[in-house]
Amino acid sequence: MPQESKGEVSHGFFARLLDLFFSANDPVRARKRELKNIAKSIKKSRYKFYNPKTGEMLPQFAQFFFQVYRVIGPAQTILQHAENSKALRHITIEYFVPENKRELFASLDPEVIKSKAREKGLEEVALEVHNTLADIYGVFGPELIERINTVYETMMYFVGFIKFDYYFLLRKFDSALPERGFNFTPRFEPINAEYISEDLKDFAHLITPFNPAMDFSDVFAIFKLYKGMEIVDIRTWQRMYNALLAIKRSDILTLIIRHIDKNPSFSVPMLVSKQDIVEGVLEEIKNEAEKALGQLKKERKKAQLEQLLKLVFNTNIIARSKYYTDTGSAQFLKHSLGTYLYTEPFNYLKAFLLDYYKSSVREIIELLIVRGQWTTPQVSQQLSEAYYRVMDISQEVVALDESLGEEGERGTKIKHYLNRVSKEPAAKRFLRQYLDEINEKVRQIIIETAQNLIAIGKILKSLIEDHQAQGKQVLVNWREVENAYDGEIRDTMVDVYKKIYYFIKILQLFVKK
């Protein structure tokens, strides 16, 4: 073979030197060189998952994933909704609570609260709930909170790991593999690695939080409490976990992804799931306890109302309002404007004033005012003023209700602005303010009526007592008043007093001064 001349050797050397110099500044050539080095690293790795020369993922990779699938596959169904489970969060919290404090949580169960309320009374139970909540909040110091949150974070990392779609990935290597076929003997074939590039990235992302310090003993104990069974064999999982840690340390998955995507700079983003469940769970417990108390109060109010309605009206079905009703509120709710707030007490007020006050109450009170000779004129004056003011209010109630009809003053204005509300923001603002004014008007009517009825009731009570007394202290002419009345005046006064008393209690269920 002829030898190269000195000139030719010199020329070849400088050509290679120039080529090396220019390739260092050529990003395409630099990337090729990096990919070549990545390929060498993959070949040297103990994990024979990928063939850089052919660009294929190998059966050994699928076999490893199949082993992972066999270990955690059964848990996929068991923990299907674990990441959103309210029960799991509560179990996790209670798991770390000292044994002697766990009864505190049990005492706040809504059914327990309801049972206690039947035995002790609602007010006493409400105080107990308040004190118990204070005791529970005192259990959780900073160190315990941090420990609970750390364990829950590990649980969520585990749940995310098992929810990876191993079956979808493995089917690409063996299409005959049945879903959940953990005892199946697969025949995995090499496949084009590009087909699973994104799957690899997802999996590599899921194992980024895994580290040797991660403890699963509490995690699996809590899962057992949650589902009443072992979700995985802890020793088998630990061996698998150690294998996963070794793969993570080797960085083999990152290298494979870089080579598949021809992207030497690719890095797996860190999965961070910062959990803070303690405050949220305690708030849920507090809200559920308060909800149970609220429901009990609502039920008690309903029972009281039904009883009072029957005492006043001899029925609990009253329908006297025409327009200030829940049905009338629909036109406002449709546009998120608000609602009529006092429809129930307004309905009962209108019924009481028109159907009872203007008949039974009117008859006895006017008799006492007109025919009675009062020892103290101021008392007669007080009764007269309160009585006639309520008579005036009865007219105002009717007028207000009628004004809300389509042809009424208020109803016409409401209809006008409702027709413009979708186009003019000012119309919406006006209606909200107008609705507030109507509700406040109704509220003031109810309060004023109650105040005057209380005044009437007090004087009636004194008259009932005076009627039986030896020395008459309020009226001096009872016999004349009795003769002017067709019936037993004392019985009538007692009946009217009771009706007024019960009706005031109805109003007080809805409106506080």
Side-chain angles (χ1 to χ4, degrees), residues 1-46:
M1 187 173 182
Q3 293 185 341
E4 294 178 318
S5 66
K6 290 183 179 180
E8 289 173 334
V9 172
S10 177
H11 174 76
F13 170 75
F14 283 109
R16 287 194 299 274
L17 186 63
L18 287 170
D19 184 58
L20 181 64
F21 174 77
F22 286 111
S23 66
N25 295 289
D26 183 350
V28 176
R29 291 187 177 185
R31 188 175 64 197
K32 285 182 179 179
R33 187 167 59 253
E34 287 184 71
L35 290 172
K36 188 175 181 180
N37 291 333
I38 289 171
K40 288 178 181 179
S41 297
I42 292 172
K43 287 178 182 179
K44 291 178 182 179
S45 171
R46 57 181 284 206

Side-chain angles (χ1 to χ4, degrees), residues 43 50-58 190-194 259:
K43 287 178 182 179
Y50 174 70
N51 186 339
K53 187 175 182 179
T54 63
E56 292 178 318
M57 295 303 294
L58 303 177
I191 65 169
N192 187 333
E194 292 180 357
H259 197 269

